[in-house]
Amino acid sequence: MGTSSQDRQLITDISRDVVAAVAPEEMPVFRPVTAAYFEDPAKLAQRLGGDDMLGFGGGEAIVFLTPVALTVMTEVVAYLRAELARSLKHEASGAVDDLVRSLFHRFRGPRAHQAASLTEEQLADVRRITFEKARQLHVGEARAGLLADAAVGSLVLST
Amino acid sequence: MSGPAPATRRLARLNPFAFPSDTDFAFWLLIAAILGSSILLHLAVANAVLAGGESQTALNARCEKQATAQHPGLTLGERSAWVSIFNACETDSVASVLPAVLAGTAGLAVTSVALYLLIPALNARRRGLQPLTTDDAPEVVQELVALCREAGVRQPRFVWDPLNPASSGLAFGPPSRRHIALTGGLVTRYWTDSDAFRAVALHELAHLRNGDVDKAYLVVAVWWAFLATALGPYVLSLLIFSRSNLLATGLRVAALALLVYLLRNATLRSREVYADVRASTRPGIAAALDRLLPADPDTRLSRWRRLLGRHPSPALRRQVVRDPAPLFRVGFWIALGTGIAGAIAYPNVEAVVGLAFPGGSDASSWIAALLFGSLVVGVVGLGAWRASFAALARGELAPRTWLLAAGLGAGLALGELLSLSETVYVPAGFRLTGAALLMFDVVWYGLLLGGVTLFLRWVVGCASAWLEAMARRDSPRLAHLLGFIPAAVVLSVWLQYLFYLNSFRLVGGAIPAATVAQALSSAGFPVPVGDYLDAALALAFLLVLLATSPLFYVTAQLLWLVPLAPWLWRRGAAPALSASWALLDAGAERVESSRPLAALQPGPAALAGLAGGAVFGAIDLPVAAGLAALATDALAAWLGPGQAVLGLLVQAGVAVAVASWTRRLGAVHALFAAFVAGCTIAVIALAAAVLTLGPSALRVAGLPAAALSTYLNLSMMITLPLALMAAAFASWVRGLASVPGSAPVHP
């Protein structure tokens, strides 16, 4: 996957917040699932949870939210980068990265007033992207809504 | 008018872990089937290879030609000599295959052990299992440690597959390195549905507690080893050497492989329900298992698909957790499987032992019979023992032994078809055919069905007596052992005689009935020639064997000794349901069976035997003394057949009287009474000889032995059927006289 290590860290951090809010029971599996996701996202998506012939037999598979959150937040970061790049055409890419980070509550430092923020329309876009992607990945409607809300809640609205 | 609705009373769950499990049964059947099949296939491969591609048909033709050249006549002597030459020729040809067969069997064993050790490691690697530590999920690890204590198992190593979203677990690893693997989905359940998490964890720990991890991995390993070391080479040799016979042999081999596959899956399925039941003894787990298991699939799912499945149906798992009664049943199918597995193993084990010890053909058939007898008793016998406990506890009818016997008989017939004996070992013309075969089979299968039905009735009777005697012990294992060993001996002796007769079916045609009839007629026993003759000869041969066999005499005494021996422990006896091991759930309500069993009464039976002896003495001694005083030849006639007839009549009378009067195990008490009478009569008969002829009478060759043989062996053959008929008749009469609607009476 063509994600930079900086983006990986960003996506991991913000996804952890989303998972902690929506599916805290997945925190023990967050680290290994994240590592597997970045190694081969497609392979992880195909893993439906088979049972061994000598295993318990019949224990239903659940839909892990962690890979969903990672996929969704990857798209969100891409969307935010595109939005900021459009408005800051002459800025270096490093500066855009910093601004993307600053759009999330968890990374806003003491100079928050200088950082970028999102409009309500942009936040609505983020919610739509998040919800639709989660639904594509077979997450139930209610849970997808919670995920979308958590994603939007992690971002900063302009005042 | 309607009264108050009767309160529904949930029966306490009986404890299936007090008895051998279906997993054990399926496992041992699989081992027997694999052993028998492997020897069979290795023999065939070794024969084909070492004979330089000479097929069995060609070998038979060569040996027939050799024998006919030396003994072309049709008299009994000529045909007997013909058979000897033929057998010697065949034996010479197969003697060299023994090392190859042993090497093949050793290869199977070594490959199985290697795979048993490798498969868990390969699985762990393929699934990317990693240690589950307190760094990953401290609460989960702590809970697992607590569950180990709760389940009473030594703590295994915990590993997990965090990427697997299924809610599942897996117990694996050799005894020194047991592991429990959990999926990521299950670990997350700890926070969302902790009972579901505990249910799966306890289920996997139950596999450790039930000791079925090794069995599961062994059956998988043995299956692959069988394919690699037996089936594969055989198919190859078939393609190279026996293409003409491909269809018939191929179908049989495919059926053999299917049998092994089905037994493997039966073992795997069975252990899952036992693990569920073990886990369900903890609060909240039964409901959690119900939640975890998928919805019951389409009920149209065919029986065959379920047979092929490696997991039991969710419906069965739910049912068994609610009430483990199905785990106490033993039915037609398991008996059928036992018959097939035994029929495949028996002739092949016999053949290999015969090759290893060529001088002792009897030893090979005895060893094979003992193995087969142990297999039948270990599976069907202990199954009947288990079912008998459930029937006793719930006041239900005893298991239907005729159905088990029918399954066993059908299995034997099928197993013989699968054993390839038709195509491999028997030359044309040897096998009985047509009406002669039909009559022989009616007699042989009649003896098998009748004998096994009675044997299983006897096992059920032994179980009822022994389980009560062992009710105050911590475990019924001693009762199982005391039931298993003598039962295996009794059945093995019976089966050995039956299988001995079975050779008539395979080679009876080698000496035609007309030749035998002619020989008998010339010896002064004129018999009409007919299709019945082979069956009649076999039956007569069996009777002579039994009447003159000291082994039969010793074994027959076990028939009364084993079920009556618990009388010695009568002070410690109690209803089986009151035993500490009887129920699964601690503190469950104990519902007593509706009618207590009648007590064993060996004392009155012994007195009846002594009284019979006294009657014999009261007649015998005056008659002998009178005839001695007259000094006529009639004394010799009296001391010979006269005494014998009187003694046998008295014993038969005692047996019928005791069987009719005893309420429980009437036939067993009757045999005991007849034995006591027989001993008394033998002593009196010998005393009469001494009194009339002097002490030198005891030195007459064979007299003491003849007395014992008559009053113990021969009498058993008369008193046994009479006692059974009398006991059955008395039971029927009592049934007519009992209150309608009352609880059924256990035998």
Side-chain angles (χ1 to χ4, degrees), chain A residues 117-136:
Chain A
S117 55
L118 297 171
T119 63
E120 285 196 7
E121 291 74 28
Q122 285 171 320
L123 280 180
D125 279 347
V126 167
R127 193 179 192 290
R128 182 181 49 75
I129 290 167
T130 312
F131 183 81
E132 286 174 359
K133 192 69 192 173
R135 293 291 290 142
Q136 272 176 28

Side-chain angles (χ1 to χ4, degrees), chain B residues 197-433:
Chain B
F197 170 83
R198 284 162 51 82
V200 177
L202 282 169
H203 172 101
E204 297 307 327
L205 290 170
H207 282 312
L208 302 186
R209 177 76 192 274
N210 294 350
D212 59 33
V213 173
D214 296 319
K215 288 189 199 102
Y217 282 88
L218 265 176
V219 298
V220 173
V222 164
W223 161 251
W224 289 113
F226 171 70
L227 292 183
T229 66
L231 199 60
Y234 178 74
V235 170
L236 207 60
S237 79
L238 208 59
L239 292 172
I240 296 170
F241 299 117
S242 308
R243 285 192 188 178
S244 59
N245 212 12
L246 203 58
L247 185 64
T249 317
L251 280 175
R252 285 188 170 87
V253 170
L256 212 60
L258 178 67
L259 170 77
V260 173
Y261 183 75
L262 290 177
L263 284 171
R264 183 197 79 154
N265 289 2
T267 311
L268 298 179
R269 280 197 308 273
S270 167
R271 72 185 206 118
E272 296 301 333
V273 290
Y274 279 89
D276 283 343
V277 173
R278 173 85 74 187
S280 73
T281 55
R282 305 287 154 191
I285 299 303
L289 284 169
D290 191 43
R291 282 200 302 279
L292 269 168
L293 291 171
D296 291 319
D298 190 346
T299 49
R300 286 171 299 178
L301 190 69
S302 73
R303 189 181 187 90
W304 291 109
R305 276 186 65 188
R306 284 205 299 274
L307 276 176
L308 292 172
R310 292 174 299 202
H311 279 103
S313 71
L316 177 69
R317 294 178 73 167
R318 289 190 170 95
Q319 182 195 347
V320 168
V321 166
R322 273 195 304 274
D323 178 7
L327 303 183
F328 289 87
R329 289 184 198 133
V330 57
F332 178 85
W333 295 106
I334 199 144
L336 182 86
T338 309
I340 296 175
I344 292 168
Y346 178 88
N348 296 300
V349 170
E350 186 185 15
V352 167
V353 177
L355 287 173
F357 305 100
S361 59
D362 270 2
S364 61
S365 60
W366 277 111
I367 289 172
L370 196 60
L371 287 176
F372 187 20
S374 302
L375 183 74
V376 174
V377 173
V379 176
V380 183
L382 286 180
W385 187 277
R386 197 176 66 176
S388 179
F389 164 74
L392 267 178
R394 293 188 165 172
E396 294 167 351
L397 283 172
R400 287 179 290 182
T401 51
W402 65 267
L403 196 64
L404 300 178
L408 201 62
L412 276 172
L414 270 173
E416 197 174 336
L417 274 177
L418 292 179
S419 73
L420 308 182
S421 61
E422 289 200 24
T423 54
V424 177
Y425 292 113
V426 185
F430 272 43
R431 190 179 293 278
L432 289 183
T433 52

Side-chain angles (χ1 to χ4, degrees), chain A residues 24-34 36-37 44 47-64, chain B residues 127 136 160-170 184-185 188-189 191-192 203-204 217 220 268 271-272 289 292 294 310-311 317:
Chain A
E25 70 277 7
E26 288 187 26
M27 290 317 289
V29 297
F30 184 83
R31 183 174 48 80
V33 171
T34 306
Y37 171 82
L44 185 65
R47 188 145 184 183
L48 295 175
D51 194 8
D52 197 291
M53 68 182 271
L54 298 173
F56 173 76
E60 67 182 54
I62 57 170
V63 178
F64 268 158
Chain B
R127 295 188 154 268
D136 299 307
W160 69 326
D161 174 8
L163 305 184
N164 189 338
S167 295
S168 184
L170 176 72
T188 64
R189 286 236 185 204
W191 288 276
T192 57
H203 172 101
E204 297 307 327
Y217 282 88
V220 173
L268 298 179
R271 72 185 206 118
E272 296 301 333
L289 284 169
L292 269 168
R310 292 174 299 202
H311 279 103
R317 294 178 73 167

Side-chain angles (χ1 to χ4, degrees), chain B residues 476-677:
Chain B
R477 282 195 185 147
L478 180 62
H480 303 336
L481 197 66
L482 290 171
F484 173 81
I485 294 172
V489 171
V490 168
L491 189 66
S492 300
V493 169
W494 176 239
L495 288 178
Q496 206 279 342
Y497 287 126
L498 269 189
F499 283 124
Y500 198 67
L501 286 194
N502 199 31
S503 56
F504 272 72
R505 180 189 286 118
L506 294 177
V507 297
I511 301 176
T515 308
V516 180
Q518 192 183 19
L520 285 172
S521 298
S522 0
F525 300 99
V527 287
V529 180
D531 290 328
Y532 77 97
L533 197 57
D534 286 296
L537 282 174
L539 203 54
F541 188 53
L542 177 68
L543 291 176
V544 171
L545 274 179
L546 295 181
T548 54
S549 164
L551 192 67
F552 173 71
Y553 154 64
V554 174
T555 308
Q557 308 318 318
L558 293 174
L559 294 179
W560 58 263
L561 188 60
V562 177
L564 294 185
W567 179 80
L568 299 171
W569 282 269
R570 63 191 179 283
R571 291 190 201 290
L577 198 60
S578 67
S580 60
W581 41 262
L583 297 182
L584 188 61
D585 305 295
E589 183 188 8
R590 287 167 196 272
V591 183
E592 298 296 334
S593 62
S594 45
R595 184 187 290 190
L597 296 178
L600 299 174
Q601 295 180 298
L607 285 177
L610 288 172
V615 169
F616 174 84
I619 299 169
D620 178 50
L621 291 175
V623 170
L627 292 174
L630 292 173
T632 64
D633 290 343
L635 177 63
W638 175 251
L639 292 180
Q643 269 187 336
V645 170
L646 176 65
L648 291 173
L649 282 174
V650 168
Q651 282 183 282
V654 166
V656 168
V658 171
S660 310
W661 137 71
T662 312
R663 293 187 66 84
R664 182 182 176 195
L665 300 178
V668 167
H669 283 85
L671 291 181
F672 175 54
F675 170 77
V676 174

